[in-house]
Amino acid sequence: MLEQGQQLQKMFQIAHLAYQDQNKKILKIGQKILMKKKDIIVLFGCGFYQRKIIRKLKKKFFIIGIDENLSCYCRKKVDYFLNLKFINTNNIYKSLIIKKYHPSIIISPNSDKGFIAANKLKKRFNLQSVNSNAMRVFFNKIELKKFL
């Protein structure tokens, strides 16, 4: 009788462990589905003037904010925040890949420095980017004057 009770207890423990393992797998799958539900947008700049665009985009997108200022205004308003220099696109790219974030949109709504970094990051993720010559003309006042 004692042996049978121990066997039942052991079987129960095995079943319980299998159940816990299955729940962990289900949770991971659920998290992946939630992440895929919303497209990912990378936004360069999380200052005061980006608050409206972040509020609008957050309704439909998972927003990753990047800003050089650790205490920027919208730091807590984005879904994921990176405190990195815009110029260091390699570190930004690595940080996103490590977290398995593959953005569908990368934007910089207000600065040329952020726009240049966003364009470089778009190239790394094989997203549509602006031609390098066009950017050179657009951001260099002398070149722009020649072009116009």
Side-chain angles (χ1 to χ4, degrees), residues 30-48:
Q31 287 172 340
K32 285 180 183 177
I33 290 169
L34 283 175
M35 278 301 297
K36 288 185 179 188
K37 213 174 191 183
K38 288 185 172 185
D39 284 332
I40 297 172
I41 291 184
V42 173
L43 182 76
F44 280 85
C46 296
F48 178 78

Side-chain angles (χ1 to χ4, degrees), residues 22-130:
Q22 189 175 6
N23 277 347
K24 286 179 186 176
K25 287 178 184 175
I26 290 169
L27 281 174
K28 283 183 182 179
I29 291 168
Q31 287 172 340
K32 285 180 183 177
I33 290 169
L34 283 175
M35 278 301 297
K36 288 185 179 188
K37 213 174 191 183
K38 288 185 172 185
D39 284 332
I40 297 172
I41 291 184
V42 173
L43 182 76
F44 280 85
C46 296
F48 178 78
Y49 295 107
Q50 284 79 36
R51 73 190 186 286
K52 287 182 183 177
I53 193 168
I54 289 171
R55 190 176 338 124
K56 293 271 186 191
L57 292 174
K58 196 165 177 166
K59 293 175 185 174
K60 294 185 180 181
F61 299 98
F62 182 87
I63 300 177
I64 299 172
I66 302 170
D67 203 296
E68 297 177 2
N69 180 2
L70 186 58
S71 59
C72 59
Y73 185 82
C74 292
R75 178 180 185 205
K76 295 191 179 181
K77 296 183 185 334
V78 296
D79 297 302
Y80 182 71
F81 179 76
L82 287 172
N83 177 232
L84 295 168
K85 297 221 177 268
F86 292 171
I87 199 165
N88 205 341
T89 53
N90 287 333
N91 281 354
I92 294 169
Y93 178 76
K94 288 176 187 174
S95 297
L96 295 173
I97 292 298
I98 287 169
K99 288 285 191 176
K100 297 183 180 171
Y101 291 136
H102 297 281
S104 50
I105 302 168
I106 301 172
I107 58 174
S108 176
N110 72 332
S111 74
D112 57 341
K113 197 163 70 166
F115 185 83
I116 293 167
N119 203 47
K120 287 181 182 178
L121 199 59
K122 284 178 187 179
K123 288 178 184 175
R124 295 291 302 264
F125 281 106
N126 295 320
L127 299 173
Q128 187 177 5
S129 58
V130 177

